[in-house]
Amino acid sequence: MARMIAWRVPQIAATLAILSLAAFLAIGAMPGDPISLAMMADPRLGPADVERMRALHGLDQPLLLRWWAWATGVLRGEFGYSRLFARPAAEVLWPALRGSLVLLGTALALAAGLGIGAGMLAALRPRWRGAVDAVALLSQALPAFWLGILLIILFAVTLGWLPAGGAPDAGGVAEAARFLVLPVATLAIAHLAAYARHTAAAMAEVLRAPWITAARARGAPESRIAFRHALPNAAVPLLSILALDAGALVSGALITETVFARPGMGKLLTDAVMGNDHNLALLALLLVAGTTLLATLAADLAQRGLDPRLGREG
Amino acid sequence: MGGDAWRLRTGLAILLLLALAALAAPGVAALLGVDPEVPDILARQAGPSAAHPLGTDELGRDILVRLLVGARVSLAVGIAAALASTVIGLAAGLLAAWRGGWVDAALMRLADGLLALPALPLLVLLAAMDPAALGLPRGGALSDVLRIVLILALFGWVGVARLARAAAISVLARDHVRAARALGVGEARLLRRHVVPALGAPLAVAASLAVAGAILAESTLSFLGLGIQPPASSWGNMLANAQDLVFSAPMAALWPGLAIALAVAGAMLVADGLRPRSG
Amino acid sequence: MIPEMREAEPLRAAALALLPLLAAAPAAAQGRDQGRDTLTIGLSQATGTFHPNIESMAAKSYILGFARRPLTGHGPDWRPLCLACDVFPTLENGQVVLENTPEGKPGMRVTWRLREDLRWGDGRPVTAEDLRFAWEAGRAFETGFGGAEFYRQAYEFISPDPRTVTLRLDKVSFDAGSAGGFEPLPAHIDRAIWEADRRNYRSRTAYDTDTTNRGLWNGPYRVTAVQPGAGVTLERNEAWAGPAPAFRRVNIRVVENSAALEAQLLAGQVDMIAGELGLSLDQAIALERRARGRFRFEYRAGLVWEHLDLRLDNPILSDLRVRQALMLAIDRPRIVAGLFDGRQPVAATSIHPDDPMIDKSLAPWPFDLARAQALLEEAGWRPGPDGIRRNAEGARLTVDLQTTAGNRSRETVLQAIQGMWRAAGVEGRIANQPPRVLFGETLSQRRFQGAALFAWISSPENVPRSTLHSDEIPTAARNWSGQNYPGYRNPEMDALIEALPQELDAEKRRPMWSRLQAMVHRDLPALPLWHRADAHVWPQWLEGVRPTGNMSPSSLWVTDWRMR
């Protein structure tokens, strides 16, 4: 296990470095740098002004040099200034990250809870399988923004029960929770299906295993078999979904954040990328990619710990 | 097992029906005497009538005919993206399994890296690039479809590659395959005879899932204004165009949303039906 | 075909069953009406920096309208007026004086007197020192203020007393009194920051590092909280000596998705939607049809000129007859009636009908399909087998049509135009791009080949030098500066544009403006569409908001806003 960590961590570091370079080049290659936007805003900027502004922003330097300056800055803990938000990039990142953690944390916990429950139901009680399948199917088939807007129309506009989006100005946890209901529901519905399907499939497989039959033959109660024997074994494949969802936790949910006007990482990342805000975009990207890669590593380690049969495939 | 067959049949029936509907688009357009791309701004958001069975959209175009024409684009995006992802993923997965060593490590870390990336912001970045810069023609629904397929395949191959690699490794480790190898059976032949057939079912599942994913992704890109460009219709851009006026004309948003849900559900049912139930 | 229809039946029935639920009268929370001391405004754009002179964004301008006074502005009647000063400087009142520069060039001297009661939120009076700091910072290029041209011209700053400021300018211009973006900046807070590091002032200014500092704000409100990208909270500025505003607090909520913005209005979470940056016009019109009783709607056609820039060096479009035919083939009254409920005035040229210099004798081009077809025939374009015209060489009459992707209103208009051109035998090929690509490259580096639909925003009597002077055609050699994207070259226009600003007598400028309008009306470097109307949505209980339709936002007159 220590060898695996020693082998994978440098790989993760290299992946991140390459990713940041690729992203830097891609964003730099996009049309519309800060100067051309300034030119749109102030038509009286002459050619000489443009020249001087480029030098002032360091845009006359080659991209590779600018990336190097950025990367060494990050290693020193200087994350730079977000052009778009006129704030230090790290300062912009935290509120968005907090927003995403709250929103996705709640939604994924809900989705995992309901999904695993539904999956177990489908595996243990075959007559429920059809219903669970239908719900899972529907939840995966609906476009997220469509579902979000339908929920808004129904619960916020027509019935007036819940806020249509945004965040409360004041009030305690209860008020904040009211604002969370619709976006969390939108996200949880979309994520629920994967948990339900995988749990159902894994449980079904485990329940057919000879040692479960043996346990049944010994007269172990069905509930004990389900929770004590089957579920832990079925959890192994769920780990990899959990790992990817850990990435989702920090990468946010662009569509849900947009429709419900909630600050979060998805919107931040997209705005930063589209707004040519190198510092912010790269910082957010590294955070998201780093978290996901580490979570994947953790999941691989855990899987290996739970299931020693896994060899090279880890 | 009977339930799975039922799933497969239902899924295929839904997809077939949608494909037939797509094929019928010109016929329906002729029958109703409407052109799906010509606006009639004096007949905007009309309710259902004999001339427009589902009413008209924000530019006075027939919703039914646009749905049918849009089916062609949306299904084409779904199927083409799935095919491209599968082909690239299969090649990468087999290569990794077969070669092992640093080729395997490099390909799998690339896959990890792509999986670790937040897909949507990058899709947005890529979709915003000038198609001319990618060597694609500008304008026209075909170039939009190509652009979107290319972008989706760029991310879509990863899952297939992991699947193909895992399956190939386990097949190559089987005794009879090892025996064949020891007897000097050619590598290409070994892959073709033993590995690829064993991959058929999981690949078909992955491909069906990719169809579903691509149809949803097209609608998301359209929501962000980066999908199929007007006046061509796709379910995604119909849905996106309807959203501004969703409170006054909810039906214009309802139909394409249902069409997307139906197509995605169909593809997922097929995937379910194809999924091998191991015992 | 019939089976499909039947297949659709159950779905349709289900959808129809859902419909009453969706369309039911909004029962949204309305219980917050009593004791209202907070006004919540929905805005569709976020702002980055809060510094008045760094970057120009409509959202920032709207928010700052509540919290600080610029030196001058344009009122709802479009006349220039003083906001932080006493009397608007003119030749007649002696605050503008013609003189020569030390080098002997014609120049002028303009004097502003600051309002006596204007104070920063920490109680310190706004003085000439605040303007001196703004002038010095603006003149130092590395500060990166907008409006570089104005600071270049203002070569000397004179202040005989703390309330009086005179600038000497090395150019003569009839609108010198409005001072561009020149306005008092809090020297007691920001000067030390600027002097410590001029290059990095733009990222260290207290406006962004300490936005809630009262000393930054001299308007009726001050900023008390910022949620980056999501909103701003404003509260009454205790140091404000003018008439007190009606609301203790103003919340600005940013909701970029327009459907979500409308939902928040309907759900009662925002009280009003700013017309400057709010709902699209067709969205507002649709909303008004359903919610007339709940909200008040006002539409103000502003100085936002929607048009199609034509690439004049495209061989097809270089032919004036083709350009005129394209113009004649667009039925603008029909589009305006069909899409915008007739709320946007069809434009004759870029000059707004309410502009003091409009030439009313110049009628907008009519819709005349027959004449368009005749002109195309005359230009050698004959109908082909598929209805698209071809020239003698067999080339199709195809014109690229581009606009900003994601702007549904423009996308809709573009499709309507495409349909109308088709009737004249012209094929429009739509290839929309995200705004950043369209503005950042396609237009600004003149990569577009056909027609591009977008809008120019301007101020009253703004001389269109950057869009019409031949020196302003962007080229690589000029670092792509300039906005004459069509590539319009006309020596008479160049001369007129140079002469106009220097003519100080408004009555003598009038014929010059008429000539300018006549020339663009004939030459059509851009096809004028209409002047865009802003849709203001207010609650029934709010009155006194006056949309301006110019670059001075309605929020500058927030002290007139009252509860009914």
Side-chain angles (χ1 to χ4, degrees):
Chain A
M1 197 163 277
R3 243 191 70 211
M4 185 170 172
I5 295 177
W7 169 232
R8 287 277 290 271
V9 167
Q11 283 186 0
I12 290 179
T15 309
L16 288 180
I18 293 171
L19 264 183
S20 75
L21 178 59
F24 205 94
L25 295 178
I27 298 173
M30 290 273 299
D33 64 21
I35 308 299
S36 52
L37 300 180
M39 283 159 69
M40 291 301 295
D42 185 0
R44 286 183 293 190
L45 284 177
D49 297 328
V50 175
E51 192 85 45
R52 278 184 295 177
M53 277 177 75
R54 273 193 207 290
L56 201 64
H57 287 255
L59 293 174
D60 50 348
Q61 306 282 324
L63 265 175
L64 220 54
L65 270 184
R66 282 158 56 198
W67 173 76
W68 181 248
W70 170 84
T72 50
V74 166
L75 291 180
R76 271 182 275 120
E78 292 162 18
F79 299 115
Y81 194 75
S82 157
R83 206 183 58 74
L84 215 54
F85 291 87
R87 298 254 181 298
E91 207 179 287
V92 181
L93 197 68
W94 296 131
L97 183 59
R98 208 170 47 230
S100 283
L101 286 177
V102 170
L103 178 62
L104 281 132
T106 321
L108 292 178
L110 198 67
L114 289 177
I116 291 175
M120 287 180 65
L121 190 67
L124 295 171
R125 299 270 181 278
R127 69 196 157 88
W128 282 92
R129 191 176 149 201
V132 169
D133 269 3
V135 170
L137 194 65
L138 199 66
S139 88
Q140 264 178 318
L142 299 176
F145 65 93
W146 191 67
L147 179 64
I149 288 179
L150 282 185
L151 288 179
I152 290 179
I153 294 182
L154 187 57
F155 290 104
V157 175
T158 308
L159 297 172
W161 291 348
L162 291 163
D169 298 317
V173 180
E175 186 64 10
R178 254 168 51 80
F179 277 79
L180 267 174
V181 176
L182 290 184
V184 162
T186 308
L187 275 171
I189 288 175
H191 281 85
L192 180 139
Y195 286 100
R197 285 161 175 278
H198 282 87
T199 310
M203 286 281 283
E205 192 173 336
V206 172
L207 286 174
R208 279 194 292 269
W211 48 277
I212 294 278
T213 318
R216 281 209 179 104
R218 275 201 313 273
E222 201 60 20
S223 63
R224 188 181 158 83
I225 289 177
F227 286 97
R228 274 310 204 32
H229 298 288
L231 187 58
N233 283 288
V236 176
L238 284 179
L239 280 172
S240 53
I241 316 181
L242 267 173
L244 283 181
D245 276 353
L249 212 55
V250 284
S251 65
L254 169 62
I255 300 298
T256 311
E257 286 159 13
T258 307
V259 169
F260 290 97
R262 290 187 69 91
M265 292 290 289
K267 182 107 178 35
L268 183 87
L269 243 170
T270 312
D271 285 350
V273 165
M274 294 303 285
N276 213 319
D277 193 342
H278 276 91
N279 290 341
L280 187 58
L282 286 163
L283 185 62
L285 213 59
L286 281 192
L287 179 75
V288 173
T291 313
T292 316
L293 288 173
L294 288 175
T296 312
L297 175 60
D300 286 351
L301 289 173
Q303 259 173 3
R304 190 167 291 218
L306 285 171
D307 189 350
R309 281 175 308 174
L310 287 177
R312 197 179 139 202
E313 282 134 282
Chain B
M1 284 317 278
D4 291 337
W6 174 83
R7 259 171 251 262
L8 183 59
R9 270 205 302 276
T10 313
L12 284 176
I14 291 176
L15 291 184
L16 199 69
L17 203 75
L18 290 172
L20 281 177
L23 289 179
V28 177
L31 195 72
L32 292 171
V34 295
D35 181 326
E37 294 189 2
V38 171
D40 176 6
I41 49 182
L42 295 184
R44 303 171 69 213
Q45 294 165 348
S49 63
H52 304 291
L54 296 184
T56 61
D57 70 356
E58 76 284 353
L59 270 174
R61 298 169 299 197
D62 184 80
I63 290 184
L64 175 66
V65 175
R66 280 182 74 75
L67 269 181
L68 298 180
V69 176
R72 304 176 149 205
V73 175
S74 293
L75 293 177
V77 166
I79 292 167
L83 271 180
S85 307
T86 310
V87 169
I88 302 172
L90 182 64
L94 287 183
L95 191 68
W98 186 253
R99 286 278 157 215
W102 69 267
V103 176
D104 184 22
L107 277 172
M108 285 305 108
R109 290 299 83 77
L110 180 63
D112 277 357
L114 280 176
L115 271 185
L117 285 176
L120 203 43
L122 293 180
L123 285 183
V124 170
L125 174 71
L126 292 170
M129 295 203 333
D130 188 354
L134 301 173
L136 293 171
R138 256 214 295 247
L142 186 65
S143 98
D144 283 333
V145 170
L146 278 177
R147 180 174 53 98
I148 292 174
V149 165
L150 215 67
I151 295 169
L152 294 179
L154 202 62
F155 286 91
W157 68 270
V158 176
V160 180
R162 296 186 138 207
L163 203 77
R165 174 178 170 276
I169 285 176
S170 82
V171 172
L172 288 175
R174 280 183 202 154
D175 290 340
H176 68 277
V177 179
R178 280 167 49 186
R181 210 169 181 179
L183 287 173
V185 176
E187 299 187 343
R189 187 180 151 82
L190 210 56
L191 280 181
R192 205 172 53 238
R193 285 290 300 277
H194 296 282
V195 178
V196 174
L199 278 173
L203 276 187
V205 174
S208 324
L209 289 177
V211 171
I215 291 174
L216 280 176
E218 187 269 325
S219 79
T220 303
L221 284 177
S222 286
F223 169 76
L224 299 167
L226 299 165
I228 308 290
Q229 294 300 321
S233 70
S234 74
W235 293 336
N237 77 12
M238 288 180 72
L239 190 46
N241 287 336
Q243 67 150 336
D244 260 5
L245 299 174
V246 69
F247 297 102
S248 39
M251 298 308 285
L254 212 52
W255 294 120
L258 287 176
I260 292 173
L262 201 63
V264 172
M268 313 261 307
L269 279 173
V270 171
D272 263 5
L274 289 170
R275 189 169 283 139
R277 306 265 161 183
S278 55
Chain C
M1 282 141 258
I2 291 158
E4 278 152 49
M5 308 277 303
R6 259 197 274 132
E7 186 60 30
E9 271 315 310
L11 289 176
R12 189 165 157 200
L16 288 178
L18 196 60
L19 192 60
L21 206 53
L22 296 181
Q30 284 167 338
R32 303 191 306 164
D33 286 18
Q34 301 89 354
R36 188 181 287 111
D37 64 350
T38 300
L39 180 68
T40 305
I41 304 174
L43 209 60
S44 63
Q45 192 189 72
T47 180
T49 175
F50 284 88
H51 194 291
N53 293 104
I54 297 170
E55 287 185 9
S56 88
M57 286 184 82
K60 182 183 74 175
S61 150
Y62 185 78
I63 294 168
L64 293 190
F66 292 102
R68 72 85 179 76
R69 305 278 90 180
L71 202 51
T72 68
H74 286 97
D77 59 357
W78 292 20
R79 283 179 208 283
L81 55 82
C82 260
L83 287 162
C85 52
D86 269 350
V87 184
F88 192 85
T90 58
L91 274 173
E92 293 74 40
N93 66 21
Q95 285 176 231
V96 175
V97 178
L98 291 172
E99 59 167 26
N100 282 343
T101 65
E103 293 84 40
K105 280 184 5 187
M108 58 205 305
R109 172 190 286 264
V110 188
T111 303
W112 296 271
R113 280 182 61 75
L114 285 164
R115 260 168 52 176
E116 192 173 7
D117 57 356
L118 202 62
R119 285 195 295 271
W120 298 106
D122 54 8
R124 300 173 69 125
V126 176
T127 70
E129 282 316 294
D130 297 317
L131 281 170
R132 185 193 300 276
F133 166 50
W135 175 74
E136 282 177 18
R139 294 239 339 143
F141 181 82
E142 62 269 32
T143 318
F145 277 7
E149 173 86 358
F150 175 82
Y151 296 104
R152 245 198 314 270
Q153 290 172 12
Y155 64 91
E156 192 181 347
F157 182 98
I158 306 161
S159 169
D161 66 74
R163 278 186 53 213
T164 310
V165 163
T166 301
L167 283 184
R168 297 181 74 194
L169 307 172
D170 66 3
K171 260 203 185 118
V172 175
S173 158
F174 66 83
D175 63 351
S178 57
F182 182 53
E183 60 175 88
L185 293 176
H188 62 295
I189 295 171
D190 255 17
R191 180 181 272 280
I193 301 171
W194 176 69
E195 281 175 353
D197 187 352
R198 295 179 178 199
R199 268 181 73 104
N200 288 315
Y201 172 66
R202 50 185 300 128
S203 60
R204 303 210 170 144
T205 165
Y207 277 105
D208 293 325
T209 56
D210 188 17
T211 311
T212 55
N213 186 333
R214 324 172 155 239
L216 298 171
W217 310 110
N218 60 26
Y221 287 91
R222 60 189 173 83
V223 175
T224 56
V226 178
Q227 301 88 39
V232 175
T233 307
L234 302 150
E235 283 179 37
R236 270 191 207 125
N237 183 356
E238 298 82 347
W240 170 253
F247 300 93
R248 184 176 61 82
R249 177 188 290 176
V250 173
N251 288 324
I252 312 277
R253 290 250 180 80
V254 177
V255 184
E256 291 179 40
N257 177 275
S258 56
L261 182 59
E262 188 176 342
Q264 294 210 7
L265 179 79
L266 291 171
Q269 285 175 267
V270 301
D271 297 318
M272 64 177 267
I273 293 180
E276 283 84 350
L277 278 163
L279 299 180
S280 69
L281 186 59
D282 46 345
Q283 205 184 349
I285 290 166
L287 177 63
E288 184 178 8
R289 288 203 192 103
R290 290 175 304 121
R292 203 184 306 261
R294 265 184 82 192
F295 303 103
R296 290 166 57 213
F297 293 81
E298 187 160 321
Y299 303 92
R300 177 74 162 96
L303 277 160
V304 184
W305 178 53
E306 298 276 353
H307 66 281
L308 285 161
D309 259 10
L310 298 179
R311 168 104 189 187
L312 298 185
D313 27 18
N314 175 335
I316 294 177
L317 297 173
S318 64
D319 187 332
L320 179 61
R321 290 168 300 190
V322 174
R323 299 205 296 276
Q324 292 179 339
L326 291 178
M327 181 83 262
L328 287 162
I330 305 176
D331 189 349
R332 292 179 293 169
R334 186 177 154 117
I335 298 178
V336 168
L339 296 183
F340 305 120
D341 215 16
R343 305 275 185 189
Q344 308 199 109
V346 166
T349 68
S350 66
I351 312 299
H352 193 284
D354 293 352
D355 193 284
M357 289 301 161
I358 181 78
D359 184 344
K360 300 239 185 208
S361 67
L362 208 60
W365 285 85
F367 167 64
D368 189 339
L369 188 57
R371 215 170 118 203
Q373 283 165 331
L375 275 167
L376 289 174
E377 292 282 338
E378 198 186 314
W381 296 97
R382 313 225 176 278
D386 55 353
I388 300 300
R389 289 171 185 272
R390 285 168 170 76
N391 65 7
E393 290 88 59
R396 288 158 66 85
L397 182 46
T398 300
V399 178
D400 281 356
L401 275 170
Q402 292 184 297
T403 191
T404 44
N407 182 327
R408 312 228 191 276
S409 176
R410 286 206 187 120
E411 287 178 350
T412 307
V413 167
L414 210 58
Q415 293 175 67
I417 290 174
Q418 185 190 38
M420 288 170 177
W421 278 1
R422 224 196 129 72
V426 182
E427 179 187 46
R429 220 171 27 199
I430 294 184
N432 295 338
Q433 296 178 328
R436 167 174 169 179
V437 181
L438 187 74
F439 293 127
E441 188 174 277
T442 307
L443 280 169
S444 59
Q445 300 188 8
R446 300 192 74 223
R447 303 232 178 132
F448 71 114
Q449 296 303 321
L453 167 61
F454 65 102
W456 285 124
I457 307 176
S458 65
S459 47
E461 215 187 332
N462 178 41
V463 180
R465 178 187 166 90
S466 69
T467 52
L468 290 175
H469 197 288
S470 63
D471 281 354
E472 302 286 338
I473 301 173
T475 60
R478 297 189 74 247
N479 275 321
W480 305 110
S481 72
Q483 296 176 325
N484 186 348
Y485 304 143
Y488 181 59
R489 286 171 198 281
N490 179 346
E492 190 191 346
M493 179 64 81
D494 289 355
L496 196 56
I497 284 174
E498 281 156 27
L500 248 174
Q502 300 184 27
E503 178 51 64
L504 300 182
D505 183 340
E507 282 320 304
K508 288 192 183 148
R509 283 201 300 276
R510 195 168 293 282
M512 299 166 83
W513 274 107
S514 293
R515 180 71 197 132
L516 184 147
Q517 289 166 70
M519 270 192 285
V520 290
H521 189 266
R522 180 198 62 208
D523 294 344
L524 293 173
L527 305 182
L529 295 178
W530 40 76
H531 299 281
R532 191 168 78 208
D534 292 336
H536 293 255
V537 186
W538 306 314
Q540 290 289 356
W541 44 263
L542 182 71
E543 58 186 25
V545 188
R546 278 177 304 162
T548 63
N550 62 51
M551 282 167 99
S552 298
S554 56
S555 53
L556 282 166
W557 289 273
V558 63
T559 50
D560 297 340
W561 299 9
R562 285 283 172 265
M563 267 174 291
R564 184 129 64 175

